[in-house]
Amino acid sequence: MSGTPEIYAARRERYEMQLLALRGTPYVWGGEMPDGADCSGSVCLAISLALMTPVRLTAQELYERYFTSYDNGIKKDDIRALFVFAAADMPHGSRSARRGECIHVAGCVSPKVILNCEPPAAHLERLDSAIKKYTDAGHTTAVLSLDQEKLLSDARRGCVCRNPDRGYREYILGYINADTPCA
């Protein structure tokens, strides 16, 4: 890993601060901006501003490509998220999700609290309460850590934005160039 402990700590702090800034953001399917976001849009926005590179993927893509469980557990300065997997084939927005597919992601603002971006708006929720809510509905969950080095390596090759809105890309780049939070 090329990042120093200080770099990882600063990224995690920026991630958590950006998630907190999204509290109260209206839920908008496919949204990715502070004025309206869905679950993956809110997590991608926080990751983008923490790592200072545009990221826009679905919850399933985040899970498959960049979030992992380390052999020795989650470390203090890891960027973390809660992932929820469908218990059965089910309607999901304007499409159908398959059993086992990642249907939801929520960013961890601390080891015990998430920003849960679901209708009607993003709100803070205890991690244990969220896990219980989803498992009581029959879904499975996992709290995983972001592989920052893999994501940054892919970003240098232009592989981490899936059809981002032009305004989103400009918003992220404005944040990076100004080096100050936009939210």
Side-chain angles (χ1 to χ4, degrees):
M1 297 194 315
S2 65
T4 65
E6 294 80 18
I7 288 172
Y8 286 110
R11 288 175 182 163
R12 180 195 43 79
E13 288 172 11
R14 281 196 306 264
Y15 173 76
E16 291 170 356
M17 287 177 50
Q18 292 304 322
L19 287 170
L20 287 169
L22 292 170
R23 184 178 181 195
T25 296
Y27 178 88
V28 175
W29 178 266
E32 56 203 12
M33 298 289 282
D35 61 349
D38 65 8
C39 65
S40 60
S42 64
V43 171
C44 285
L45 179 59
I47 291 171
S48 295
L49 298 178
L51 275 60
M52 299 193 171
T53 189
V55 176
R56 184 58 173 113
L57 300 166
T58 66
Q60 180 71 24
E61 290 167 328
L62 285 169
Y63 166 70
E64 288 176 344
R65 294 160 92 179
Y66 300 113
F67 278 82
T68 183
S69 177
Y70 293 106
D71 292 337
N72 56 352
I74 294 175
K75 297 175 186 66
K76 176 181 173 255
D77 287 319
D78 284 350
I79 288 174
R80 300 171 305 274
L82 169 67
F83 289 85
V84 179
F85 306 94
D89 292 356
M90 60 182 282
H92 186 61
S94 61
R95 62 181 193 80
S96 294
R98 296 176 320 279
R99 180 179 182 274
E101 182 179 342
C102 183
I103 56 170
H104 187 69
V105 61
C108 295
V109 299
S110 78
K112 295 183 178 184
V113 178
I114 61 170
L115 178 82
N116 206 349
C117 193
E118 58 186 8
H123 59 277
L124 297 178
E125 189 172 343
R126 288 179 48 103
L127 177 61
D128 57 354
S129 297
I131 289 171
K132 182 175 180 354
K133 172 176 71 178
Y134 294 119
T135 56
D136 284 354
H139 303 301
T140 56
T141 64
V143 176
L144 302 172
S145 297
L146 177 66
D147 184 338
Q148 297 178 35
E149 300 309 318
K150 182 174 187 320
L151 188 145
L152 290 169
S153 174
D154 284 357
R156 286 189 285 279
R157 295 192 328 267
C159 303
V160 294
C161 272
R162 181 180 164 279
N163 302 323
D165 176 90
R166 181 172 173 78
Y168 177 75
R169 191 171 197 78
E170 290 171 359
Y171 180 83
I172 300 302
L173 295 175
Y175 172 88
I176 293 166
N177 293 333
D179 200 29
T180 56
C182 297

